[in-house]
Amino acid sequence: MSKTYTLPYTLKVPSEETEHMYLAEVPVLPGCRAWGETAEEALHNLDGVAADFIASYNEHGDELPQSIAAAGELVIAV
């Protein structure tokens, strides 16, 4: 059975800092980020990366960050 998480995310527009691509990140999951040529692609990629992050936490028995329960924008089913 999967569980649904609602996660806040940030989206940065293309710049030198983001290698001229859109960069989407989930701040409550350190290191959870994805790039794309469009905002939609970056968010789509972030969906898979965040799901993998959460699955890894669960597989290793690690406790998810407390702030994951906070309301956000991105819904991930794992």
mmCIF file of all heavy atoms in Angstrom, residues 8-57:
data_model
loop_
_atom_site.group_PDB
_atom_site.id
_atom_site.type_symbol
_atom_site.label_atom_id
_atom_site.label_comp_id
_atom_site.label_asym_id
_atom_site.label_seq_id
_atom_site.Cartn_x
_atom_site.Cartn_y
_atom_site.Cartn_z
ATOM 1 N N PRO A 8 6.753 20.565 0.105
ATOM 2 C CA PRO A 8 7.050 21.875 -0.470
ATOM 3 C C PRO A 8 8.242 21.749 -1.412
ATOM 4 O O PRO A 8 9.121 20.910 -1.196
ATOM 5 C CB PRO A 8 7.409 22.726 0.751
ATOM 6 C CG PRO A 8 7.923 21.742 1.748
ATOM 7 C CD PRO A 8 7.159 20.466 1.500
ATOM 8 N N TYR A 9 8.237 22.562 -2.450
ATOM 9 C CA TYR A 9 9.379 22.533 -3.368
ATOM 10 C C TYR A 9 9.748 23.954 -3.770
ATOM 11 O O TYR A 9 8.959 24.882 -3.600
ATOM 12 C CB TYR A 9 9.095 21.683 -4.604
ATOM 13 C CG TYR A 9 8.080 22.271 -5.554
ATOM 14 C CD1 TYR A 9 8.453 23.173 -6.546
ATOM 15 C CD2 TYR A 9 6.749 21.922 -5.459
ATOM 16 C CE1 TYR A 9 7.515 23.715 -7.413
ATOM 17 C CE2 TYR A 9 5.807 22.463 -6.320
ATOM 18 C CZ TYR A 9 6.202 23.356 -7.294
ATOM 19 O OH TYR A 9 5.270 23.896 -8.149
ATOM 20 N N THR A 10 10.950 24.103 -4.286
ATOM 21 C CA THR A 10 11.375 25.370 -4.873
ATOM 22 C C THR A 10 11.715 25.102 -6.326
ATOM 23 O O THR A 10 12.135 23.992 -6.676
ATOM 24 C CB THR A 10 12.596 25.971 -4.153
ATOM 25 O OG1 THR A 10 13.687 25.064 -4.252
ATOM 26 C CG2 THR A 10 12.295 26.255 -2.697
ATOM 27 N N LEU A 11 11.533 26.107 -7.141
ATOM 28 C CA LEU A 11 11.854 25.999 -8.565
ATOM 29 C C LEU A 11 12.678 27.215 -8.948
ATOM 30 O O LEU A 11 12.232 28.351 -8.772
ATOM 31 C CB LEU A 11 10.578 25.932 -9.397
ATOM 32 C CG LEU A 11 10.761 25.792 -10.904
ATOM 33 C CD1 LEU A 11 11.418 24.457 -11.252
ATOM 34 C CD2 LEU A 11 9.429 25.935 -11.618
ATOM 35 N N LYS A 12 13.877 26.968 -9.439
ATOM 36 C CA LYS A 12 14.758 28.049 -9.879
ATOM 37 C C LYS A 12 14.768 28.094 -11.395
ATOM 38 O O LYS A 12 14.796 27.057 -12.054
ATOM 39 C CB LYS A 12 16.177 27.828 -9.359
ATOM 40 C CG LYS A 12 16.263 27.885 -7.847
ATOM 41 C CD LYS A 12 17.678 27.667 -7.369
ATOM 42 C CE LYS A 12 17.720 27.709 -5.850
ATOM 43 N NZ LYS A 12 19.064 27.457 -5.335
ATOM 44 N N VAL A 13 14.755 29.312 -11.930
ATOM 45 C CA VAL A 13 14.782 29.494 -13.377
ATOM 46 C C VAL A 13 16.206 29.315 -13.898
ATOM 47 O O VAL A 13 17.169 29.408 -13.130
ATOM 48 C CB VAL A 13 14.219 30.875 -13.788
ATOM 49 C CG1 VAL A 13 12.754 30.984 -13.406
ATOM 50 C CG2 VAL A 13 15.024 31.988 -13.170
ATOM 51 N N PRO A 14 16.350 29.041 -15.185
ATOM 52 C CA PRO A 14 17.685 28.826 -15.745
ATOM 53 C C PRO A 14 18.636 30.000 -15.473
ATOM 54 O O PRO A 14 18.262 31.164 -15.619
ATOM 55 C CB PRO A 14 17.422 28.679 -17.247
ATOM 56 C CG PRO A 14 16.020 28.150 -17.321
ATOM 57 C CD PRO A 14 15.303 28.844 -16.189
ATOM 58 N N SER A 15 19.849 29.644 -15.059
ATOM 59 C CA SER A 15 20.905 30.625 -14.808
ATOM 60 C C SER A 15 22.235 29.869 -14.831
ATOM 61 O O SER A 15 22.261 28.641 -14.953
ATOM 62 C CB SER A 15 20.706 31.296 -13.451
ATOM 63 O OG SER A 15 20.939 30.371 -12.403
ATOM 64 N N GLU A 16 23.319 30.596 -14.675
ATOM 65 C CA GLU A 16 24.623 29.927 -14.589
ATOM 66 C C GLU A 16 24.648 28.972 -13.403
ATOM 67 O O GLU A 16 25.191 27.873 -13.483
ATOM 68 C CB GLU A 16 25.750 30.953 -14.470
ATOM 69 C CG GLU A 16 26.102 31.610 -15.787
ATOM 70 C CD GLU A 16 27.327 32.490 -15.685
ATOM 71 O OE1 GLU A 16 28.292 32.100 -15.009
ATOM 72 O OE2 GLU A 16 27.302 33.577 -16.289
ATOM 73 N N GLU A 17 24.035 29.403 -12.285
ATOM 74 C CA GLU A 17 24.002 28.587 -11.071
ATOM 75 C C GLU A 17 23.301 27.243 -11.297
ATOM 76 O O GLU A 17 23.668 26.234 -10.701
ATOM 77 C CB GLU A 17 23.286 29.359 -9.959
ATOM 78 C CG GLU A 17 23.110 28.585 -8.684
ATOM 79 C CD GLU A 17 22.213 29.287 -7.672
ATOM 80 O OE1 GLU A 17 21.732 30.409 -7.942
ATOM 81 O OE2 GLU A 17 21.984 28.700 -6.619
ATOM 82 N N THR A 18 22.297 27.214 -12.176
ATOM 83 C CA THR A 18 21.524 25.993 -12.421
ATOM 84 C C THR A 18 21.913 25.313 -13.730
ATOM 85 O O THR A 18 21.157 24.495 -14.251
ATOM 86 C CB THR A 18 20.015 26.300 -12.446
ATOM 87 O OG1 THR A 18 19.738 27.148 -13.558
ATOM 88 C CG2 THR A 18 19.539 26.926 -11.157
ATOM 89 N N GLU A 19 23.082 25.667 -14.234
ATOM 90 C CA GLU A 19 23.584 25.092 -15.487
ATOM 91 C C GLU A 19 22.644 25.380 -16.659
ATOM 92 O O GLU A 19 22.453 24.561 -17.546
ATOM 93 C CB GLU A 19 23.845 23.598 -15.323
ATOM 94 C CG GLU A 19 24.869 23.296 -14.235
ATOM 95 C CD GLU A 19 25.082 21.814 -13.982
ATOM 96 O OE1 GLU A 19 24.685 20.984 -14.813
ATOM 97 O OE2 GLU A 19 25.651 21.513 -12.926
ATOM 98 N N HIS A 20 21.983 26.547 -16.591
ATOM 99 C CA HIS A 20 21.069 27.028 -17.632
ATOM 100 C C HIS A 20 19.860 26.113 -17.836
ATOM 101 O O HIS A 20 19.330 26.007 -18.939
ATOM 102 C CB HIS A 20 21.824 27.265 -18.950
ATOM 103 C CG HIS A 20 22.953 28.232 -18.774
ATOM 104 N ND1 HIS A 20 22.752 29.582 -18.596
ATOM 105 C CD2 HIS A 20 24.287 28.036 -18.698
ATOM 106 C CE1 HIS A 20 23.914 30.178 -18.445
ATOM 107 N NE2 HIS A 20 24.871 29.265 -18.497
ATOM 108 N N MET A 21 19.462 25.453 -16.765
ATOM 109 C CA MET A 21 18.265 24.608 -16.785
ATOM 110 C C MET A 21 17.385 24.996 -15.599
ATOM 111 O O MET A 21 17.831 25.676 -14.681
ATOM 112 C CB MET A 21 18.658 23.128 -16.703
ATOM 113 C CG MET A 21 19.504 22.669 -17.887
ATOM 114 S SD MET A 21 19.827 20.905 -17.837
ATOM 115 C CE MET A 21 18.274 20.289 -18.417
ATOM 116 N N TYR A 22 16.130 24.561 -15.624
ATOM 117 C CA TYR A 22 15.268 24.723 -14.457
ATOM 118 C C TYR A 22 15.734 23.736 -13.399
ATOM 119 O O TYR A 22 16.100 22.598 -13.711
ATOM 120 C CB TYR A 22 13.803 24.446 -14.816
ATOM 121 C CG TYR A 22 13.177 25.561 -15.602
ATOM 122 C CD1 TYR A 22 13.260 25.577 -16.992
ATOM 123 C CD2 TYR A 22 12.509 26.598 -14.964
ATOM 124 C CE1 TYR A 22 12.699 26.607 -17.732
ATOM 125 C CE2 TYR A 22 11.938 27.629 -15.699
ATOM 126 C CZ TYR A 22 12.040 27.625 -17.073
ATOM 127 O OH TYR A 22 11.480 28.641 -17.799
ATOM 128 N N LEU A 23 15.719 24.170 -12.142
ATOM 129 C CA LEU A 23 16.135 23.324 -11.030
ATOM 130 C C LEU A 23 15.018 23.291 -10.001
ATOM 131 O O LEU A 23 14.608 24.339 -9.487
ATOM 132 C CB LEU A 23 17.413 23.863 -10.387
ATOM 133 C CG LEU A 23 17.853 23.205 -9.086
ATOM 134 C CD1 LEU A 23 18.172 21.722 -9.303
ATOM 135 C CD2 LEU A 23 19.056 23.936 -8.503
ATOM 136 N N ALA A 24 14.509 22.105 -9.723
ATOM 137 C CA ALA A 24 13.468 21.920 -8.716
ATOM 138 C C ALA A 24 14.067 21.161 -7.541
ATOM 139 O O ALA A 24 14.831 20.206 -7.738
ATOM 140 C CB ALA A 24 12.293 21.139 -9.308
ATOM 141 N N GLU A 25 13.745 21.607 -6.315
ATOM 142 C CA GLU A 25 14.282 20.980 -5.112
ATOM 143 C C GLU A 25 13.196 20.811 -4.058
ATOM 144 O O GLU A 25 12.265 21.602 -3.995
ATOM 145 C CB GLU A 25 15.384 21.852 -4.499
ATOM 146 C CG GLU A 25 16.574 22.085 -5.391
ATOM 147 C CD GLU A 25 17.603 22.976 -4.742
ATOM 148 O OE1 GLU A 25 17.389 24.216 -4.739
ATOM 149 O OE2 GLU A 25 18.608 22.445 -4.237
ATOM 150 N N VAL A 26 13.360 19.780 -3.227
ATOM 151 C CA VAL A 26 12.510 19.584 -2.057
ATOM 152 C C VAL A 26 13.399 19.881 -0.849
ATOM 153 O O VAL A 26 14.193 19.036 -0.443
ATOM 154 C CB VAL A 26 11.947 18.142 -1.985
ATOM 155 C CG1 VAL A 26 11.125 17.958 -0.709
ATOM 156 C CG2 VAL A 26 11.090 17.835 -3.205
ATOM 157 N N PRO A 27 13.292 21.080 -0.276
ATOM 158 C CA PRO A 27 14.196 21.474 0.802
ATOM 159 C C PRO A 27 14.166 20.567 2.033
ATOM 160 O O PRO A 27 15.180 20.435 2.718
ATOM 161 C CB PRO A 27 13.735 22.887 1.168
ATOM 162 C CG PRO A 27 13.008 23.379 -0.029
ATOM 163 C CD PRO A 27 12.402 22.167 -0.661
ATOM 164 N N VAL A 28 13.034 19.929 2.322
ATOM 165 C CA VAL A 28 12.961 19.067 3.508
ATOM 166 C C VAL A 28 13.654 17.727 3.303
ATOM 167 O O VAL A 28 13.797 16.956 4.250
ATOM 168 C CB VAL A 28 11.498 18.854 3.978
ATOM 169 C CG1 VAL A 28 10.868 20.178 4.396
ATOM 170 C CG2 VAL A 28 10.671 18.164 2.910
ATOM 171 N N LEU A 29 14.086 17.435 2.063
ATOM 172 C CA LEU A 29 14.856 16.231 1.765
ATOM 173 C C LEU A 29 16.214 16.692 1.222
ATOM 174 O O LEU A 29 16.365 16.912 0.014
ATOM 175 C CB LEU A 29 14.130 15.363 0.725
ATOM 176 C CG LEU A 29 12.795 14.776 1.130
ATOM 177 C CD1 LEU A 29 12.144 14.074 -0.053
ATOM 178 C CD2 LEU A 29 12.962 13.807 2.294
ATOM 179 N N PRO A 30 17.193 16.886 2.090
ATOM 180 C CA PRO A 30 18.490 17.424 1.662
ATOM 181 C C PRO A 30 19.085 16.658 0.477
ATOM 182 O O PRO A 30 19.177 15.433 0.507
ATOM 183 C CB PRO A 30 19.363 17.283 2.911
ATOM 184 C CG PRO A 30 18.382 17.273 4.046
ATOM 185 C CD PRO A 30 17.164 16.568 3.509
ATOM 186 N N GLY A 31 19.413 17.407 -0.570
ATOM 187 C CA GLY A 31 20.000 16.808 -1.766
ATOM 188 C C GLY A 31 18.989 16.327 -2.784
ATOM 189 O O GLY A 31 19.357 15.841 -3.852
ATOM 190 N N CYS A 32 17.707 16.460 -2.487
ATOM 191 C CA CYS A 32 16.655 16.009 -3.409
ATOM 192 C C CYS A 32 16.382 17.112 -4.417
ATOM 193 O O CYS A 32 15.722 18.100 -4.126
ATOM 194 C CB CYS A 32 15.388 15.666 -2.634
ATOM 195 S SG CYS A 32 14.066 15.024 -3.666
ATOM 196 N N ARG A 33 16.935 16.935 -5.636
ATOM 197 C CA ARG A 33 16.779 17.954 -6.676
ATOM 198 C C ARG A 33 16.765 17.297 -8.042
ATOM 199 O O ARG A 33 17.256 16.195 -8.218
ATOM 200 C CB ARG A 33 17.879 18.999 -6.570
ATOM 201 C CG ARG A 33 19.269 18.452 -6.745
ATOM 202 C CD ARG A 33 20.348 19.515 -6.581
ATOM 203 N NE ARG A 33 20.278 20.179 -5.308
ATOM 204 C CZ ARG A 33 21.116 19.959 -4.298
ATOM 205 N NH1 ARG A 33 22.095 19.118 -4.432
ATOM 206 N NH2 ARG A 33 20.970 20.590 -3.165
ATOM 207 N N ALA A 34 16.203 18.021 -8.998
ATOM 208 C CA ALA A 34 16.140 17.530 -10.375
ATOM 209 C C ALA A 34 16.157 18.710 -11.322
ATOM 210 O O ALA A 34 15.690 19.797 -10.986
ATOM 211 C CB ALA A 34 14.869 16.699 -10.578
ATOM 212 N N TRP A 35 16.687 18.489 -12.504
ATOM 213 C CA TRP A 35 16.792 19.522 -13.530
ATOM 214 C C TRP A 35 15.898 19.174 -14.710
ATOM 215 O O TRP A 35 15.532 18.021 -14.910
ATOM 216 C CB TRP A 35 18.236 19.613 -14.034
ATOM 217 C CG TRP A 35 19.197 20.213 -13.068
ATOM 218 C CD1 TRP A 35 19.642 21.509 -13.061
ATOM 219 C CD2 TRP A 35 19.842 19.577 -11.977
ATOM 220 N NE1 TRP A 35 20.526 21.697 -12.031
ATOM 221 C CE2 TRP A 35 20.668 20.521 -11.332
ATOM 222 C CE3 TRP A 35 19.816 18.287 -11.441
ATOM 223 C CZ2 TRP A 35 21.444 20.241 -10.226
ATOM 224 C CZ3 TRP A 35 20.587 18.000 -10.325
ATOM 225 C CH2 TRP A 35 21.386 18.973 -9.740
ATOM 226 N N GLY A 36 15.592 20.174 -15.505
ATOM 227 C CA GLY A 36 14.835 19.971 -16.730
ATOM 228 C C GLY A 36 14.980 21.167 -17.633
ATOM 229 O O GLY A 36 15.323 22.266 -17.187
ATOM 230 N N GLU A 37 14.706 20.960 -18.913
ATOM 231 C CA GLU A 37 14.769 22.063 -19.876
ATOM 232 C C GLU A 37 13.558 22.980 -19.743
ATOM 233 O O GLU A 37 13.606 24.123 -20.187
ATOM 234 C CB GLU A 37 14.903 21.507 -21.287
ATOM 235 C CG GLU A 37 16.260 20.856 -21.507
ATOM 236 C CD GLU A 37 16.524 20.513 -22.956
ATOM 237 O OE1 GLU A 37 15.857 21.061 -23.848
ATOM 238 O OE2 GLU A 37 17.434 19.698 -23.186
ATOM 239 N N THR A 38 12.485 22.475 -19.145
ATOM 240 C CA THR A 38 11.296 23.283 -18.865
ATOM 241 C C THR A 38 10.955 23.108 -17.385
ATOM 242 O O THR A 38 11.406 22.145 -16.737
ATOM 243 C CB THR A 38 10.081 22.838 -19.699
ATOM 244 O OG1 THR A 38 9.724 21.501 -19.302
ATOM 245 C CG2 THR A 38 10.370 22.875 -21.194
ATOM 246 N N ALA A 39 10.132 24.011 -16.862
ATOM 247 C CA ALA A 39 9.688 23.878 -15.470
ATOM 248 C C ALA A 39 8.931 22.566 -15.284
ATOM 249 O O ALA A 39 9.130 21.856 -14.297
ATOM 250 C CB ALA A 39 8.816 25.071 -15.091
ATOM 251 N N GLU A 40 8.090 22.240 -16.249
ATOM 252 C CA GLU A 40 7.297 21.009 -16.158
ATOM 253 C C GLU A 40 8.195 19.775 -16.121
ATOM 254 O O GLU A 40 7.944 18.835 -15.361
ATOM 255 C CB GLU A 40 6.315 20.915 -17.336
ATOM 256 C CG GLU A 40 5.224 21.968 -17.324
ATOM 257 C CD GLU A 40 5.693 23.343 -17.825
ATOM 258 O OE1 GLU A 40 6.776 23.452 -18.437
ATOM 259 O OE2 GLU A 40 4.971 24.321 -17.578
ATOM 260 N N GLU A 41 9.241 19.770 -16.938
ATOM 261 C CA GLU A 41 10.154 18.633 -16.963
ATOM 262 C C GLU A 41 10.913 18.517 -15.643
ATOM 263 O O GLU A 41 11.063 17.414 -15.101
ATOM 264 C CB GLU A 41 11.147 18.770 -18.118
ATOM 265 C CG GLU A 41 12.124 17.600 -18.201
ATOM 266 C CD GLU A 41 13.139 17.753 -19.322
ATOM 267 O OE1 GLU A 41 13.467 18.892 -19.722
ATOM 268 O OE2 GLU A 41 13.615 16.701 -19.788
ATOM 269 N N ALA A 42 11.354 19.635 -15.097
ATOM 270 C CA ALA A 42 12.066 19.608 -13.819
ATOM 271 C C ALA A 42 11.161 19.064 -12.716
ATOM 272 O O ALA A 42 11.585 18.233 -11.902
ATOM 273 C CB ALA A 42 12.574 20.999 -13.456
ATOM 274 N N LEU A 43 9.900 19.491 -12.685
ATOM 275 C CA LEU A 43 8.967 19.007 -11.660
ATOM 276 C C LEU A 43 8.627 17.541 -11.867
ATOM 277 O O LEU A 43 8.508 16.780 -10.898
ATOM 278 C CB LEU A 43 7.709 19.871 -11.644
ATOM 279 C CG LEU A 43 7.928 21.298 -11.143
ATOM 280 C CD1 LEU A 43 6.668 22.123 -11.338
ATOM 281 C CD2 LEU A 43 8.377 21.300 -9.692
ATOM 282 N N HIS A 44 8.484 17.132 -13.107
ATOM 283 C CA HIS A 44 8.236 15.715 -13.397
ATOM 284 C C HIS A 44 9.413 14.870 -12.907
ATOM 285 O O HIS A 44 9.223 13.831 -12.270
ATOM 286 C CB HIS A 44 8.011 15.516 -14.895
ATOM 287 C CG HIS A 44 7.924 14.079 -15.293
ATOM 288 N ND1 HIS A 44 6.799 13.311 -15.067
ATOM 289 C CD2 HIS A 44 8.835 13.243 -15.860
ATOM 290 C CE1 HIS A 44 7.019 12.083 -15.492
ATOM 291 N NE2 HIS A 44 8.246 12.021 -15.980
ATOM 292 N N ASN A 45 10.627 15.325 -13.208
ATOM 293 C CA ASN A 45 11.817 14.594 -12.767
ATOM 294 C C ASN A 45 11.914 14.586 -11.248
ATOM 295 O O ASN A 45 12.304 13.578 -10.643
ATOM 296 C CB ASN A 45 13.078 15.211 -13.376
ATOM 297 C CG ASN A 45 13.141 15.037 -14.875
ATOM 298 O OD1 ASN A 45 12.471 14.180 -15.453
ATOM 299 N ND2 ASN A 45 13.937 15.870 -15.536
ATOM 300 N N LEU A 46 11.546 15.713 -10.617
ATOM 301 C CA LEU A 46 11.596 15.795 -9.157
ATOM 302 C C LEU A 46 10.638 14.809 -8.517
ATOM 303 O O LEU A 46 10.945 14.221 -7.476
ATOM 304 C CB LEU A 46 11.271 17.219 -8.706
ATOM 305 C CG LEU A 46 11.380 17.469 -7.210
ATOM 306 C CD1 LEU A 46 12.805 17.256 -6.716
ATOM 307 C CD2 LEU A 46 10.897 18.868 -6.873
ATOM 308 N N ASP A 47 9.507 14.579 -9.136
ATOM 309 C CA ASP A 47 8.532 13.615 -8.618
ATOM 310 C C ASP A 47 9.184 12.250 -8.433
ATOM 311 O O ASP A 47 9.065 11.629 -7.369
ATOM 312 C CB ASP A 47 7.351 13.530 -9.592
ATOM 313 C CG ASP A 47 6.234 12.655 -9.081
ATOM 314 O OD1 ASP A 47 5.357 13.178 -8.382
ATOM 315 O OD2 ASP A 47 6.262 11.440 -9.385
ATOM 316 N N GLY A 48 9.909 11.784 -9.452
ATOM 317 C CA GLY A 48 10.575 10.481 -9.365
ATOM 318 C C GLY A 48 11.713 10.473 -8.366
ATOM 319 O O GLY A 48 11.887 9.511 -7.604
ATOM 320 N N VAL A 49 12.489 11.550 -8.337
ATOM 321 C CA VAL A 49 13.620 11.624 -7.410
ATOM 322 C C VAL A 49 13.117 11.635 -5.966
ATOM 323 O O VAL A 49 13.652 10.928 -5.108
ATOM 324 C CB VAL A 49 14.485 12.873 -7.708
ATOM 325 C CG1 VAL A 49 15.536 13.083 -6.635
ATOM 326 C CG2 VAL A 49 15.146 12.745 -9.075
ATOM 327 N N ALA A 50 12.083 12.423 -5.679
ATOM 328 C CA ALA A 50 11.541 12.487 -4.324
ATOM 329 C C ALA A 50 10.970 11.134 -3.904
ATOM 330 O O ALA A 50 11.157 10.698 -2.758
ATOM 331 C CB ALA A 50 10.473 13.578 -4.232
ATOM 332 N N ALA A 51 10.298 10.453 -4.809
ATOM 333 C CA ALA A 51 9.764 9.122 -4.497
ATOM 334 C C ALA A 51 10.901 8.162 -4.155
ATOM 335 O O ALA A 51 10.808 7.385 -3.203
ATOM 336 C CB ALA A 51 8.943 8.594 -5.669
ATOM 337 N N ASP A 52 11.991 8.237 -4.907
ATOM 338 C CA ASP A 52 13.156 7.385 -4.629
ATOM 339 C C ASP A 52 13.787 7.734 -3.280
ATOM 340 O O ASP A 52 14.206 6.845 -2.537
ATOM 341 C CB ASP A 52 14.201 7.502 -5.738
ATOM 342 C CG ASP A 52 13.761 6.848 -7.038
ATOM 343 O OD1 ASP A 52 12.776 6.064 -7.025
ATOM 344 O OD2 ASP A 52 14.397 7.122 -8.076
ATOM 345 N N PHE A 53 13.867 9.029 -2.956
ATOM 346 C CA PHE A 53 14.411 9.456 -1.666
ATOM 347 C C PHE A 53 13.593 8.845 -0.528
ATOM 348 O O PHE A 53 14.137 8.270 0.404
ATOM 349 C CB PHE A 53 14.358 10.988 -1.543
ATOM 350 C CG PHE A 53 15.665 11.677 -1.745
ATOM 351 C CD1 PHE A 53 16.260 11.712 -2.995
ATOM 352 C CD2 PHE A 53 16.302 12.309 -0.703
ATOM 353 C CE1 PHE A 53 17.466 12.371 -3.191
ATOM 354 C CE2 PHE A 53 17.499 12.961 -0.879
ATOM 355 C CZ PHE A 53 18.088 12.992 -2.134
ATOM 356 N N ILE A 54 12.274 9.002 -0.599
ATOM 357 C CA ILE A 54 11.396 8.507 0.463
ATOM 358 C C ILE A 54 11.464 6.992 0.547
ATOM 359 O O ILE A 54 11.536 6.418 1.638
ATOM 360 C CB ILE A 54 9.959 9.010 0.267
ATOM 361 C CG1 ILE A 54 9.929 10.531 0.473
ATOM 362 C CG2 ILE A 54 8.991 8.318 1.209
ATOM 363 C CD1 ILE A 54 8.638 11.190 0.083
ATOM 364 N N ALA A 55 11.470 6.319 -0.590
ATOM 365 C CA ALA A 55 11.586 4.854 -0.594
ATOM 366 C C ALA A 55 12.899 4.421 0.062
ATOM 367 O O ALA A 55 12.931 3.450 0.830
ATOM 368 C CB ALA A 55 11.495 4.318 -2.018
ATOM 369 N N SER A 56 13.978 5.144 -0.196
ATOM 370 C CA SER A 56 15.271 4.820 0.406
ATOM 371 C C SER A 56 15.229 5.003 1.921
ATOM 372 O O SER A 56 15.743 4.163 2.669
ATOM 373 C CB SER A 56 16.371 5.697 -0.203
ATOM 374 O OG SER A 56 17.620 5.420 0.412
ATOM 375 N N TYR A 57 14.622 6.105 2.381
ATOM 376 C CA TYR A 57 14.465 6.301 3.826
ATOM 377 C C TYR A 57 13.735 5.104 4.428
ATOM 378 O O TYR A 57 14.148 4.552 5.442
ATOM 379 C CB TYR A 57 13.638 7.571 4.113
ATOM 380 C CG TYR A 57 14.417 8.859 4.227
ATOM 381 C CD1 TYR A 57 14.737 9.612 3.104
ATOM 382 C CD2 TYR A 57 14.793 9.356 5.472
ATOM 383 C CE1 TYR A 57 15.423 10.815 3.210
ATOM 384 C CE2 TYR A 57 15.475 10.553 5.590
ATOM 385 C CZ TYR A 57 15.784 11.280 4.456
ATOM 386 O OH TYR A 57 16.456 12.467 4.566
#
